[in-house]
Every structure is written in structure tokens, then in C-alpha cells.
Amino acid sequence: MSRMAVLVLDMLNDFVTGDLKTKRAARIIEPIQKLVKAARAHGVPVIYSNDAHFSNDHEVVKRWGKHAIKGTHGAEVISELAPTKKDFVVEKRVYSGFYETELDSLLRSLYNGLGVETVVLVGLHTHICVRHTAASAFYRGYKIVVPRDGVQAFTRRDHEEGLRYLKNVYNAEI
Ligand code: ZN
């Protein structure tokens, strides 16, 4: 596997301990810590893709209620996984990390402009933001890897079905 980037999705206070918390999020913190540490040590870019909502965003108003409002504590990455100066942070306002963000052009600019080939997706939630970001990555031709112990969802069922979907539909390596 060559020219990888690690994408850390929505490991934010509101999803781990705040307004949209799930206990299941705690178990992926340590595996993600290990992964980003190894990535940094090997010169693999680490990119945080974070919800940063306006309070009138569709997701907030029509579905989930208030969460990860831009500029609040709830929208910050949990302290255990705080980005370093070498990492990239790309804000998003919908499930997909690619939608109307600079993520794709960032990925294309890395590795001296050769661009990233494989995205490793970790974070929350397997069946929502991971899935939608995987869809966008698939449309753009990226190879997708999803570590089983690096993603989670609100329920075991959401998680397991999410993984199956990623494998079956986007040919993600689980
Ligand atoms: Zn959101």
C-alpha cells in the first residue's frame, strides 16, 4: 500500500462525552492513538475531518439536534487525540468529509503533488460519517482501508452493518 493518509473523523467531545455521546466511542481511542502515532513516525499524513456546524445546518435542525457547533468545546477533538502541528484539520458541515471542503485538493497535494492513493478511515460513526466519507473517497478513486477497531457507532448493529456496507459497496479493506 502506498501513499496513505489517515483520516480521523469526528473524534470530538460532543460525540464522545457530550450531546451525542456513545459509550462505544471510548474503546477506539487507544487504537486510534496508536495508529496516528505510527503514522506520524512514518511520515504518513494525519488529517482530522471534523464537524463544525452552524446552528441552522440541516443535520442539526432536521435530524440530530445541537452538536459540534463551530467554535464550541463540543466541536473540539478529544484531548487524548489532539492534533499536532504537523497534522491537518479540515472542517465539514455534513456527514462526508469531502462535501464542499478542501479535503480532496489537500489529498492531491500531498506526497509532493503525487497525491494520496489510500485513505485509512477511523473515528465516528461507522454507518454515518465514515460511510459517507468512504462514498466520496470511492467516487474519487481512492483505495479505502477501515481498521475494525478504529471505528464505532451508536450500537453494535450499526457498527457491524456499517462495516459490511463499506466492504460490499466501496470495496473497503476492513
Ligand atoms: Zn454533524
Side-chain angles (χ1 to χ4, degrees), residues 10 15 20 51 53 59-60 64 67-68 92-95 129:
D10 282 337
F15 292 114
L20 275 182
D51 256 7
H53 284 300
E59 240 188 58
V60 172
W64 300 103
H67 69 277
K92 66 187 179 70
R93 287 178 57 206
V94 295
Y95 304 139
C129 292

Side-chain angles (χ1 to χ4, degrees), residues 51-70:
D51 256 7
H53 284 300
F54 297 162
S55 51
N56 61 350
D57 280 353
H58 300 308
E59 240 188 58
V60 172
V61 176
K62 294 181 178 170
R63 180 59 182 95
W64 300 103
K66 187 170 76 64
H67 69 277
I69 303 296
K70 185 176 168 70

Side-chain angles (χ1 to χ4, degrees), residues 9-164:
L9 298 165
D10 282 337
M11 288 301 286
L12 312 178
N13 290 315
D14 267 352
F15 292 114
V16 179
T17 54
D19 289 337
L20 275 182
K21 68 181 170 211
T22 169
K23 273 188 184 169
R24 300 178 68 86
R27 63 184 79 174
I28 62 173
I29 296 172
E30 201 184 317
I32 297 176
Q33 279 177 326
K34 285 184 184 161
L35 179 71
V36 294
K37 201 175 162 194
R40 288 171 189 138
H42 290 90
V44 170
V46 176
I47 303 168
Y48 288 78
S49 173
N50 296 338
D51 256 7
H53 284 300
F54 297 162
S55 51
N56 61 350
D57 280 353
H58 300 308
E59 240 188 58
V60 172
V61 176
K62 294 181 178 170
R63 180 59 182 95
W64 300 103
K66 187 170 76 64
H67 69 277
I69 303 296
K70 185 176 168 70
T72 66
H73 173 75
E76 284 173 20
V77 174
I78 58 170
S79 57
E80 297 93 324
L81 291 172
T84 68
K85 278 184 188 158
K86 279 172 67 183
D87 300 334
F88 301 91
V89 178
V90 181
E91 294 183 347
K92 66 187 179 70
R93 287 178 57 206
V94 295
Y95 304 139
S96 171
F98 285 87
Y99 186 76
E100 293 182 355
T101 72
E102 68 272 33
L103 180 58
D104 193 45
S105 60
L106 169 61
L107 291 170
R108 287 173 196 285
S109 74
L110 296 170
Y111 293 96
N112 296 317
L114 289 173
V116 166
E117 280 183 339
T118 302
V119 288
V120 182
L121 304 181
V122 293
L124 298 166
H125 300 84
T126 317
H127 65 313
I128 310 176
C129 292
V130 177
R131 171 168 159 175
H132 285 262
T133 301
S136 299
F138 181 78
Y139 301 154
R140 290 167 174 81
Y142 294 101
K143 186 172 167 14
I144 299 160
V145 174
V146 181
R148 183 179 288 278
D149 61 352
V151 293
Q152 261 304 339
F154 298 113
T155 66
R156 182 191 150 103
R157 186 174 163 179
D158 288 341
H159 175 61
E160 292 295 337
E161 286 180 357
L163 285 176
R164 261 199 302 281

